[in-house]
Amino acid sequence: MHQDIDEVLVSEAQIEAICLKLGKQLSEDYKDKNPLFIGLLNGCVPFMSALIKRVEIPIEIQFMAVSSYHGGIESSGDVKIKYDLERSVMNRDCVIVEDIVDTGATVKTITSLLLHRGARSVKVVTLLDKPSGRKVELIPDYIGITIPKRFVVGFGLDYNEFYRNLPYVGVLKPSVYIK
Ligand code: 5GP
């Protein structure tokens, strides 16, 4: 285990099992719909990659980069689009792929935006759900695992852009961010 990690919350094996389960579910729900999976960069990268290998139907993938954190451990709730989609979502069934839903502000904002742009449907798949952090009313449609109110890193999740490459999700030692 990495020296800055207190505890592993979701192991590599658990993540693999989650992706297998969600991939199966999405394959059934989106059969014949040619869904557009929209990953929210940068955090979605490992999850998107692991998840789509388990999806057994034709899909397209696109990415958006959004920011709601300013390098700390608290979401600002102010969602900014830093990189936008390159193709239209008009009449498409969209699936937002997110690493974690905390306040809910990010996916709520992007869902409204995609619907406003003419998407036929928008659903959310998230590896982690932290419902205790919720500030807007939102229940993700597909949840990998629900976690307690802790600041976690790994498998895409960062602290000041580090730790995204850890193969598991772990709780960061507070000594790393409380100086
Ligand atoms: P929301 O808009 O739901 O508050 O936050 C979504 C974004 O906040 C996530 O994509 C992620 O970047 C960040 N975030 C929320 N909780 C955590 C956490 O525990 N650890 C890390 N590293 N990022 C988090």
Side-chain angles (χ1 to χ4, degrees), residues 97-109:
V97 181
E98 185 50 312
D99 50 2
I100 185 167
V101 176
D102 179 20
T103 65
T106 305
V107 284
K108 185 113 184 174
T109 304

Side-chain angles (χ1 to χ4, degrees), residues 40-44 66-69 72-79 98-108 128 130 133-136 138 147-154 156-160 162 164 170:
L40 303 187
L41 295 170
N42 295 328
C44 74
V66 299
S67 72
S68 64
Y69 271 39
I73 64 157
E74 287 279 332
S75 174
S76 68
D78 176 20
V79 182
E98 185 50 312
D99 50 2
I100 185 167
V101 176
D102 179 20
T103 65
T106 305
V107 284
K108 185 113 184 174
L128 310 172
K130 198 157 59 168
R134 210 68 100 240
K135 290 190 179 149
V136 301
L138 185 124
I147 63 162
K149 195 170 172 58
R150 312 283 295 274
F151 185 75
V152 294
V153 294
L157 292 135
D158 75 308
Y159 173 64
N160 284 347
F162 287 101
R164 291 195 198 274

Side-chain angles (χ1 to χ4, degrees), residues 11-163:
S11 69
E12 277 188 83
Q14 273 176 292
I15 294 172
E16 189 48 44
I18 286 168
C19 292
L20 199 62
K21 185 168 155 238
L22 290 176
K24 266 209 166 65
Q25 222 176 314
L26 287 160
S27 305
E28 282 168 23
D29 295 354
Y30 284 90
K31 197 167 173 277
D32 302 322
K33 287 191 171 166
N34 184 28
L36 176 59
F37 280 38
I38 298 174
L40 303 187
L41 295 170
N42 295 328
C44 74
V45 171
F47 180 46
M48 178 72 124
S49 158
L51 177 68
I52 61 173
K53 282 190 280 191
R54 303 300 180 189
V55 176
E56 297 154 347
I57 54 166
I59 62 166
E60 285 177 57
I61 63 170
Q62 290 249 334
F63 295 92
M64 290 176 90
V66 299
S67 72
S68 64
Y69 271 39
H70 303 293
I73 64 157
E74 287 279 332
S75 174
S76 68
D78 176 20
V79 182
K80 290 200 170 57
I81 295 175
K82 299 193 291 185
Y83 167 75
D84 210 341
L85 298 171
E86 293 181 337
R87 303 260 303 270
S88 166
V89 295
M90 185 65 78
N91 296 325
R92 299 298 305 268
D93 291 300
C94 301
V95 180
I96 297 173
V97 181
E98 185 50 312
D99 50 2
I100 185 167
V101 176
D102 179 20
T103 65
T106 305
V107 284
K108 185 113 184 174
T109 304
I110 302 303
T111 298
S112 305
L113 178 71
L114 298 176
L115 289 171
H116 180 75
R117 288 178 179 178
R120 182 186 298 130
S121 70
V122 181
K123 292 205 173 178
V124 177
V125 56
T126 185
L127 174 63
L128 310 172
D129 187 23
K130 198 157 59 168
S132 52
R134 210 68 100 240
K135 290 190 179 149
V136 301
E137 211 172 295
L138 185 124
I139 299 171
D141 302 279
Y142 301 90
I143 296 168
I145 186 166
T146 300
I147 63 162
K149 195 170 172 58
R150 312 283 295 274
F151 185 75
V152 294
V153 294
F155 211 73
L157 292 135
D158 75 308
Y159 173 64
N160 284 347
E161 294 302 326
F162 287 101
Y163 309 105

